[in-house]
Amino acid sequence: MARYTGPKSKIARKFGEPIFGPDKAQSRRNYAPGQHGNSRKHKTSEYGIQLKEKQKAKYTYGVLERQFRNMFEKAERSKGVTGEVLLQLLECRLDNVVYRLGMAKTRAAARQLVSHRHITVDGKVVNIPSYSVKQGQVIAVRERDKSMVVIVDALNGFNHAKYPWLEWDNNAMAGKFLHTPERADIPENIKEQLIVELYSK
């Protein structure tokens, strides 16, 4: 499956929440997309609920199926609660960290900044969105790109205090990854245990 590039409002309406950020279309039509979206009353099976949660996590973080499966297997092999470790691995992705630092308004925009070589990690350009950021590493805007309108606009008024695992230096336009976030600090509305149950079948 290739990365989804269609209307994001359609996906957000499917899950019943703005997983890509504020969505005017969804606020007007808060029901599933399609001709019968407003009249579907059928009960979803247990498998369907679990699958929907996995799909929601994949769309939220912009990860493809094979990547997601590999991350789950890595989480299974790690110490700790598998579901929580999975979310922590997703949060440590470079594109997600760039998004959390406020350098981009969406994860898709953050992924593009990374891919187009606008972001550095410890002073070196890294253009791999899935790169796993480690404790103590510094993620910054490349020196020659600090005046980019899209980055300046995204950072304008952004509240950097809402993510305690990140530290922001406004003058350097750089953020430090202090530590892996605890589950309580990850704001995404994802029931990770359902994903674990799905893969455990």
Side-chain angles (χ1 to χ4, degrees):
M1 181 186 103
R3 197 176 304 279
Y4 179 78
T5 57
K8 292 185 177 178
S9 292
K10 185 176 180 180
I11 298 300
R13 287 171 61 199
K14 174 182 176 181
F15 296 113
E17 54 188 279
I19 62 173
F20 299 112
D23 192 324
K24 292 180 181 178
Q26 191 195 13
S27 62
R28 291 196 307 268
R29 294 176 291 180
N30 193 21
Y31 50 85
Q35 183 179 358
H36 305 290
N38 201 21
S39 60
R40 289 175 184 161
K41 301 293 183 183
H42 62 81
K43 185 178 179 181
T44 307
S45 67
E46 182 185 6
Y47 173 79
I49 293 171
Q50 294 166 347
L51 180 62
K52 186 176 180 181
E53 206 64 26
K54 184 196 74 170
Q55 297 292 78
K56 181 167 72 172
K58 282 171 51 184
Y59 279 117
T60 298
Y61 287 96
V63 179
L64 299 180
E65 177 60 40
R66 181 176 291 182
Q67 289 176 306
F68 196 84
R69 180 76 197 213
N70 289 341
M71 294 184 90
F72 178 82
E73 290 174 356
K74 185 177 179 180
E76 255 190 332
R77 295 192 301 268
S78 304
K79 293 181 180 179
V81 181
T82 301
E84 291 183 16
V85 175
L86 173 62
L87 288 185
Q88 289 171 333
L89 290 173
L90 289 165
E91 284 291 327
C92 290
R93 283 173 55 97
L94 180 57
D95 55 358
N96 182 75
V97 175
V98 168
Y99 165 69
R100 294 290 191 208
L101 286 169
M103 298 176 187
K105 291 186 176 181
T106 65
R107 286 187 180 86
R111 190 177 305 114
Q112 191 172 53
L113 287 180
V114 175
S115 298
H116 290 187
R117 304 176 66 84
H118 299 305
I119 302 298
T120 65
V121 177
D122 289 342
K124 295 181 180 179
V125 173
V126 177
N127 64 342
I128 304 169
S130 61
Y131 175 87
S132 185
V133 181
K134 307 296 189 297
Q135 182 175 335
Q137 289 188 315
V138 175
I139 296 86
V141 178
R142 195 174 181 181
E143 190 63 38
R144 70 184 190 188
D145 300 322
K146 288 184 177 180
S147 60
M148 281 182 64
V149 175
V150 66
I151 297 176
V152 173
D153 184 48
L155 287 169
N156 186 31
F158 186 82
N159 177 20
H160 289 97
K162 60 183 177 179
Y163 302 121
W165 68 92
L166 299 170
E167 183 179 78
W168 178 252
D169 182 337
N170 202 49
N171 293 325
M173 288 182 76
K176 188 173 184 179
F177 191 84
L178 301 176
H179 58 81
T180 302
E182 298 295 327
R183 178 62 185 99
D185 294 326
I186 299 174
E188 304 306 334
N189 180 30
I190 295 171
K191 300 179 180 68
E192 62 273 13
Q193 184 55 34
L194 292 176
I195 301 172
V196 175
E197 291 170 4
L198 176 68
Y199 278 127
S200 298
K201 289 183 175 179

